[in-house]
Amino acid sequence: MKGKQAAAIIAALLLCGCMGQEPQPMEEETLKPPENAQAASGVVLDITEESLILRTSAGMEYVLDLDGDEIPEGTQVLNGSFVKIYYDGDLQIEPNNVDILYIEADQSEEMELGYKNSTVDGRVISVTEDTLKLETQTGSMYTFSIAQAKQNMIGKLEKGSLARLTFDGRPFETEKALVKQITDLELTGVVRTTPVTVQQYDEEDQTLTVQTWDGTKRKFSTENVECGAEDWEDFEWEEAVVFSDTDVEDAGWLYGKVLKVLFPDDAQQRFYGVVESFDEDEGLLTVHLLTGETLELFVDEALIPSDGLDKNDTICVAYDGWLNGEDVRKLEIEEIEVETKGSNSENSVAGTIWELGEDFFTLRTMDGRTLCFTEKAGEDSVPESVVVGTAVRVYFTGWLTGEDQEENAVVTHVAQLLQ
């Protein structure tokens, strides 16, 4: 009986072939995690068709070869993805000979929203091919693994420079954090430029005494400060520009917040802001600085960028002279660049959560301002991990007005800030 059934099946197949009908393909077996295989969880630092760079939950980094069939169809693995790999071999002793068998998304390792895009600002104490040690203004020290992050470096990275690190990770576990971007603080809008006249350099104390345009004298240490002359004495009784990550009125000038001192001809001064409006006929540009001040500038037609100046554009304005608060009388605009266009323009401000309600939160900023945000882009803009007293960076579109209610700033997300 079985022989007849087999013969009938063969005959049917031959008949289908004769009639031009193709036999139905067999369903491919679904790729599954292999049984009894070793496994490791971590975050993807970089992935190509041939290789995967993985940082495990223990903080170790491995470069692993891929054949191209380890990721099941429908699973997306990108830089920054948390994954679980199944493998054959010895990951500790012979990682180059490890055979990756299967890769799947690992939701258990995903960071909470409040620990994504966290930031820390500080001075670079040391930097190698793989690690960066950073000291914040409060004196805290943090060490980060930056093996793959340097490809996303904006600006310069060297010992003594001030930088901002953006990362996914929990406080006090920075060695395991995924550093996503490193930015020279001069390119963030944080750095201020102040025209001064240099009064005296004290070689014994290594301090420089300067006088600002309104007659105020300030003294600060020149240790770790870039000198724009062959020697500090060359600045005495000369005009200069002080670059710092705090305003001149802040006593923080005494505590290592000055980055460099340059002669005016060597100093490109600039500020960052958000466009509220631009009257092309009048040439009147209304722009809000990231610190909240409002400037009204008359712009020459030749300085208008090719893609125009539209509401909510984030722009960088290079200028000569000086800017004192909202006083632009001694400011000469040299160049205007559009950093980000329109509604996609996102900026940030750092501080501590002072009050927190269902429909609002109040931020006490690093420079002493109190800002109340009432507009949020979504329900999850403020994660549950953020509570009163948490140091945060608030990302927003629009602009700050410097008033109690920041109705022109829409909060996109709030992230942890290391201090």
Side-chain angles (χ1 to χ4, degrees):
M1 184 70 179
K2 290 182 179 179
K4 290 183 179 180
Q5 288 178 339
I9 292 172
I10 293 172
L13 290 173
L14 291 173
L15 182 61
C16 287
C18 294
M19 296 178 65
Q21 299 179 14
E22 295 182 3
Q24 295 297 315
M26 295 180 63
E27 292 185 5
E28 294 184 5
E29 187 176 350
T30 304
L31 188 63
K32 297 180 180 179
E35 295 182 3
N36 303 320
Q38 301 179 79
S41 295
V43 62
V44 176
L45 299 182
D46 193 35
I47 185 168
T48 67
E49 293 182 358
E50 294 82 22
S51 67
L52 166 71
I53 301 178
L54 182 77
R55 180 184 297 151
T56 67
S57 301
M60 302 297 291
E61 293 183 8
Y62 301 99
V63 181
L64 306 170
D65 293 332
L66 297 178
D67 294 328
D69 56 357
E70 299 89 350
I71 303 175
E73 187 176 351
T75 299
Q76 192 175 42
V77 178
L78 304 171
N79 291 358
S81 297
F82 289 89
V83 298
K84 187 173 186 179
I85 65 167
Y86 297 82
Y87 65 93
D88 184 25
D90 194 320
L91 192 60
Q92 303 294 329
I93 299 176
E94 294 184 304
N96 293 334
N97 295 325
V98 164
D99 183 16
I100 304 298
L101 307 173
Y102 185 83
I103 301 175
E104 66 179 2
D106 189 358
Q107 302 296 332
S108 65
E109 290 291 330
E110 289 284 359
M111 286 290 172
E112 298 175 42
L113 185 63
Y115 299 115
K116 290 186 175 182
N117 295 315
S118 297
T119 63
V120 59
D121 294 354
R123 190 179 297 276
V124 176
I125 300 302
S126 63
V127 59
T128 68
E129 287 295 320
D130 301 317
T131 61
L132 181 146
K133 191 171 184 179
L134 200 72
E135 181 181 15
T136 67
Q137 292 179 0
T138 61
S140 299
M141 295 281 190
Y142 297 100
T143 301
F144 292 86
S145 176
I146 59 167
Q148 298 302 311
K150 287 186 294 185
Q151 64 189 10
N152 293 325
M153 177 67 200
I154 301 176
K156 63 181 180 180
L157 181 62
E158 58 188 25
K159 181 179 177 181
S161 61
L162 280 177
R164 172 175 296 164
L165 272 64
T166 303
F167 63 94
D168 290 347
R170 296 179 176 85
F172 311 112
E173 291 184 327
T174 56
E175 295 89 346
K176 300 180 183 180
L178 172 65
V179 178
K180 302 163 77 172
Q181 185 171 287
I182 306 173
T183 308
D184 184 344
L185 271 189
E186 284 193 44
L187 305 178
T188 63
V190 171
V191 173
R192 317 283 181 88
T193 55
T194 306
V196 299
T197 300
V198 178
Q199 302 287 299
Q200 181 183 10
Y201 173 66
D202 189 320
E203 186 174 3
E204 183 176 348
D205 294 338
Q206 289 189 308
T207 57
L208 197 69
T209 301
V210 302
Q211 181 173 299
T212 60
W213 68 275
D214 60 355
T216 304
K217 289 187 178 181
R218 296 291 179 188
K219 182 167 68 173
F220 55 86
S221 170
T222 57
E223 186 177 1
N224 294 323
V225 176
E226 179 183 332
C227 178
E230 291 186 6
D231 202 289
W232 285 109
E233 283 88 348
D234 294 342
F235 276 114
E236 290 187 343
W237 302 109
E238 296 286 348
E239 291 186 348
V241 178
V242 175
F243 289 71
S244 63
D245 68 332
T246 185
D247 207 350
V248 62
E249 286 80 9
D250 194 317
W253 265 27
L254 299 174
Y255 302 106
K257 295 184 179 181
V258 175
L259 305 179
K260 59 186 178 181
V261 181
L262 303 179
F263 288 115
D265 290 343
D266 300 326
Q268 185 186 51
Q269 300 181 82
R270 56 192 169 194
F271 60 80
Y272 291 78
V274 181
V275 174
E276 177 182 344
S277 63
F278 177 57
D279 186 329
E280 194 167 353
D281 294 332
E282 297 290 334
L284 179 61
L285 171 65
T286 303
V287 59
H288 294 268
L289 302 189
L290 300 187
T291 51
E293 295 97 331
T294 302
L295 303 182
E296 290 189 343
L297 306 170
F298 285 96
V299 179
D300 188 274
E301 184 179 355
L303 296 174
I304 301 173
S306 58
D307 48 359
L309 293 171
D310 301 313
K311 183 176 180 179
N312 280 334
D313 286 355
T314 296
I315 61 174
C316 175
V317 179
Y319 66 94
D320 189 24
W322 65 70
L323 174 64
N324 176 41
E326 298 179 9
D327 186 350
V328 299
R329 289 174 297 175
K330 296 187 178 182
L331 179 151
E332 181 181 346
I333 300 175
E334 296 183 335
E335 184 179 20
I336 299 177
E337 292 185 355
V338 176
E339 298 289 310
T340 317
K341 288 295 293 182
S343 60
N344 295 323
S345 176
E346 187 179 82
N347 295 296
S348 69
V349 60
T352 303
I353 297 293
W354 202 250
E355 296 177 283
L356 183 61
E358 290 187 6
D359 301 321
F360 78 98
F361 68 89
T362 300
L363 185 77
R364 183 67 61 87
T365 68
M366 304 293 283
D367 56 4
R369 291 173 295 154
T370 300
L371 306 174
C372 184
F373 292 92
T374 58
E375 302 294 330
K376 295 183 288 187
E379 294 182 0
D380 59 352
S381 295
V382 183
E384 294 181 359
S385 58
V386 172
V387 297
V388 172
T390 303
V392 297
R393 181 170 296 280
V394 178
Y395 295 85
F396 60 91
T397 58
W399 59 83
L400 301 176
T401 62
E403 301 170 357
D404 290 338
Q405 300 294 325
E406 297 300 329
E407 67 275 2
N408 289 311
V410 179
V411 176
T412 56
H413 65 283
V414 177
Q416 298 278 357
L417 171 69
L418 294 189
Q419 293 184 298

